[in-house]
């Protein structure tokens, strides 16, 4: 599948219905997710940072995030969106440059947060937050092809502002031209409903916090268009590492290893996830889409 078809398909997924957007952290996890039936993928800044032995917030540089995203794009035939934190810049021009670079590595979209990557993760002032989204949207439109720009209001999750302010920001991001709106980890179902009723653009929900108790059908019925997993799948994997190694080095038990998937099964998933045009050498497809 050419990149052009991926970009068009990714935009189409947001036009109606509801789909799950899993977040891999390397080529192998991306191919497994593709083989199991994912329609699209997204990077996770936290999951990527964990692979490098670094903390979540501010754990990777822009160059590292772009190279990582390019590797995920190359791993499967699926469209990929990039988790680019605050756009790796405070100023609008820097955010716009990140979006241009995201388009250059073959991504079909990316998300931009309204949170500074400094101590305490403070939110950008309202006007600056909106101007950053406006600049990102302009850069996305200049790509002259579908690119889903997701604007995030992270202050409710980070405890830096309340739901009313989060919705005010989402409305402003919508007016600035964002294609998708995202307020991670609202306190519950009622707060998510308030977000959904306030905006008209598609909404992304994160399968984390209280929303993990809901199903895809539950979220779809509420009007959620896209469900991402962030670093949650990576965290489940890390929990398996913790528990298995603790059992070995503590009581000396290897029982957790009985849940391991077979090598043949994993090999088959990796081959299927690479797709008919999979590139064993890991080379990215031509960004021109040919």
């Amino acid at each position: 599948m050419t990149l052009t078809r991926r970009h068009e398909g990714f935009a189409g997924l947001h036009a109606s219905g509801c789909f799950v957007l899993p977040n891999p952290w390397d080529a192998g996890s991306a191919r497994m997710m593709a083989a199991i039936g994912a329609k699209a993928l997204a990077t996770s800044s936290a999951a990527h940072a964990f692979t490098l032995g670094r903390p979540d917030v501010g754990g990777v540089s822009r160059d590292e995030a772009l190279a990582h995203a390019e590797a995920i794009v190359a791993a499967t035939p699926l469209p990929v969106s990039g988790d680019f934190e605050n756009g790796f810049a405070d100023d609008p021009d820097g955010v716009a440059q990140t979006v241009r670079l995201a388009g250059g590595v073959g991504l079909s979209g990316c998300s931009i947060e309204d949170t500074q990557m400094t101590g305490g993760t403070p939110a950008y002032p309202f006007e600056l937050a909106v101007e950053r989204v406006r600049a990102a949207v302009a850069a996305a439109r200049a790509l002259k092809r579908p690119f889903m720009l997701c604007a995030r209001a992270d202050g409710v999750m980070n405890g830096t502002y309340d739901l009313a302010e989060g919705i005010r920001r989402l409305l402003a991001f919508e007016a600035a031209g964002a294609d998708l709106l995202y307020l991670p980890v609202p306190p519950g179902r009622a707060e998510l409903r308030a977000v959904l009723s306030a905006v008209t653009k598609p909404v992304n929900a994160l399968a984390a916090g209280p929303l993990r108790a809901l199903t895809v059908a539950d979220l779809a019925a509420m009007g959620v268009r896209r469900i991402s997993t962030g670093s949650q799948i990576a965290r489940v994997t890390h929990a398996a590492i913790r528990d298995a190694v603790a059992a070995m080095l503590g009581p000396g038990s290897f029982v957790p290893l009985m849940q391991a998937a077979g090598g043949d099964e994993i090999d088959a998933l990796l081959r299927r996830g690479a797709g008919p045009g999979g590139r064993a050498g890991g080379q990215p497809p031509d960004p021109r889409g040919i």
Side-chain angles (χ1 to χ4, degrees), residues 101-169:
L101 293 170
V105 299
L107 288 170
S108 298
C110 75
S111 61
I112 300 295
E113 303 172 12
D114 65 345
T115 300
Q116 301 179 49
M117 297 295 113
T118 56
T121 59
Y124 289 105
F126 179 84
E127 294 298 337
L128 177 57
V130 176
E131 188 57 36
R132 284 163 37 84
V133 171
R134 188 174 293 115
V137 168
R141 300 294 176 266
L143 296 174
K144 304 298 184 184
R145 49 88 162 174
F147 186 92
M148 297 299 297
L149 195 288
C150 177
R152 294 178 46 155
D154 281 31
V156 174
M157 176 177 67
N158 295 332
T160 55
Y161 53 70
D162 62 14
L163 183 67
E165 174 63 12
I167 291 175
R168 183 171 83 106
R169 289 179 177 234

Side-chain angles (χ1 to χ4, degrees), residues 221-268:
M222 294 172 66
V224 170
R225 189 62 52 82
R226 187 175 93 180
I227 306 167
S228 59
T229 61
S231 62
Q232 295 300 297
I233 302 174
R235 292 175 189 273
V236 169
T237 302
H238 281 75
I241 296 171
R242 176 199 65 203
D243 295 346
V245 176
M248 297 174 203
L249 303 182
S253 171
F254 296 100
V255 169
L257 300 186
M258 294 179 182
Q259 300 178 42
D264 289 345
E265 178 188 3
I266 293 174
D267 289 346

